[in-house]
Amino acid sequence: MIKNTMHSLDDRIEEMDMKYKKIVGNLAANLAATTLKVKSRYFHRIGVSGKGTLKIYDNIKGLPDHKIFCPGKSYPVIVRHSNSLSADDDARIDARGAAIRILSDETSDSSLFDLTLKTGNAFYARTIANFATWLVCGLPAREEFVKRAPHVRDAVWTSLRHANSYAELHYYSNICRLFRFEDGQEMYVKFKLRPSDENISEEAGKVEPIGILPPDTGAIPRNDNDTRPLLFLAEDFQSRVNAKGVRYIFQLQVRPVPHDEAARDVALDCTKPWSESEFPYIDVGEVNINHNLSAEQSEQLDFNPFLRCHEVDVIRASSCSQSASIDHGRSLIYEICQHLRNGAPLPEAWKIFIEQSDVKVDLSGCPMAATLMKKDAQNVTLERTLFQTLWISVGEGGFVGSRAIAMPGVRVEVGGSLSALSLAMKEEIIKSR
């Protein structure tokens, strides 16, 4: 194969093997089609945001010298809270999010790095292949899977929260980064944002399971006797910021990078939280939010896991079966969708990446691609449904290019066999036995 050197390449794509590219490409194309149609985010659609400061403590115990998290330093920060799936009613039981942007200084909008945190100390998919398969499979297949991987079931339920206030919940990164210290040492790190009030425990808003897994929507309707406004969480956050501000404690959880590749993949597994007794959380600073952003400013925010720096880096992956594949893959998907949502020019490498997927997306709304499309092409076209396209990538046996296509609207009943799950999920089940 000969590379086209007439356009700039994206290292994230070049590092992926063919199966990894196929899965990420199909996910990106499907979400891009939805983004073009609705002009909004796919997940965490509506949010409320504020700006303030991250003040690093003068004395940090248990952390080697670090250029960013240096005692006494202070950084401007932006925090955006949101619900995972529910964009119309804050009273629904849902996962809650806290995206954080740490800026380099007050005079610049440049970001040191972005973090995306959520309620619950684990995620339900270890790899990007697992994530894509989870989207494809219906509830029966997922329930069959979690019976053999109960920690995944726990990750789903512990992410859901009853909420009275965004400011009274604990938020976790789940996916870790690579920390580089001043002495050259490297460690894995996870991040946490907790309320400044120590009386608010990690169990705040906990949802007791009412079945094997929540309903397909993931957002359970509010109780009939709940009379709170639809967007009361946003209103509460803004009121708190206007009154006395909102204060959080910023925490880190670090562990040495294992020498063995298999051990590193286990450490990066975001479906299993690290032991807090072995790797305790370290309080490194306080986040004080004292200025509300307008709805328009909040909508314009783009949080991207690939916004990072040398000292707080993203861990790369080359295969969709590696634990690091989620952060690596989603950074590309996020950025493609953000460009399309904002009407920004789409780099040629990304355009080609989408065009090579199994999804036919009309990019006439993309500034760079507009001249290549017919003038009368105005509607978004998606020749296959999300379920059909992803099934090609992660369907029977997990082989890319398989022509086993799930019929739209039909859920796969698993029964005693696991034919509905991809090879990647089958391997996870075998490991969990």
Side-chain angles (χ1 to χ4, degrees), residues 94-96 118-120 122-123 154-161 174:
D94 202 353
R96 319 293 175 173
K118 69 167 187 62
T119 48
F123 191 56
D154 293 341
V156 173
W157 280 108
T158 55
S159 296
L160 301 181
R161 282 293 187 270
N174 293 172

Side-chain angles (χ1 to χ4, degrees), residues 252-327:
L252 304 178
Q253 191 181 24
V254 297
R255 66 182 293 173
V257 177
H259 297 293
D260 179 67
E261 183 177 351
R264 289 197 295 270
D265 204 60
V266 171
L268 296 174
D269 183 354
C270 58
T271 66
K272 298 177 180 178
W274 295 345
S275 168
E276 292 188 33
S277 59
E278 188 175 0
F279 310 110
Y281 281 102
I282 303 171
D283 293 348
V284 296
E286 293 185 2
V287 172
N288 289 280
I289 304 299
N290 50 30
H291 176 72
N292 281 309
L293 298 186
S294 67
E296 292 75 20
Q297 290 173 319
S298 184
E299 175 61 24
Q300 291 170 4
L301 291 173
D302 292 333
F303 292 92
N304 188 340
F306 202 64
L307 284 178
R308 84 280 191 225
C309 57
H310 175 75
E311 293 78 15
V312 187
D313 208 350
V314 173
I315 300 170
R316 313 292 271 262
S318 59
S319 166
C320 64
S321 63
Q322 294 174 318
S323 293
S325 62
I326 284 189
D327 212 23

